[in-house]
Every structure is written in structure tokens, then in C-alpha cells.
Amino acid sequence: MKLQETLPADGLRRGPSGQLLNGCYYEHSSRQFVSYVQGRRYYEFDGKNLMADWKERIKNYRAID
């Protein structure tokens, strides 16, 4: 799946409430942790260096498709 296919015309990613994404999320489609700044994808990382409890918390509460 290409990122461009899932984004709206303005290219900004929004959460379920309609607000622009800000912060770190776990993306199911890529199976990676990603950070967003004002709706724009900023950084991807696999999470190998993250603490286990932090990774699980992000996967459970800040997961996106």
C-alpha cells in the first residue's frame, strides 16, 4: 500500500476526531512506529530500541491503519 493512496487530497493525515496527527503512532499497514508533525509523516522507526512497556502502550492506544 502506498502512502499517497491513503491520504486525502491535501496530503495531511487526520485522526478519527478529524484533528491532524501529532506525535508517535504504530502503523499496522507498515508494522512500524511513525511520527507525525501537523499531519505530515516525519519519521519511521522499527522500535527495537524502545522499552517494551512503551511499545505496547503505543500499539494499544495510538494505533492507526
Side-chain angles (χ1 to χ4, degrees), residues 17-52:
S17 64
Q19 293 182 338
L20 295 175
L21 293 182
N22 277 311
C24 184
Y25 296 85
Y26 180 75
E27 188 175 61
H28 287 290
S29 60
S30 66
R31 294 185 177 160
Q32 290 190 340
F33 292 90
V34 293
S35 66
Y36 283 88
V37 176
Q38 295 186 358
R40 295 187 193 280
R41 189 184 197 100
Y42 184 72
Y43 190 74
E44 296 178 352
F45 54 101
D46 57 14
K48 289 181 181 177
N49 296 329
L50 301 177
M51 296 185 326

Side-chain angles (χ1 to χ4, degrees), residues 1-11 13 41:
M1 172 175 26
K2 294 182 181 177
L3 181 63
Q4 293 174 344
E5 294 173 356
T6 62
L7 293 177
D10 64 1
R13 185 102 186 236
R41 189 184 197 100

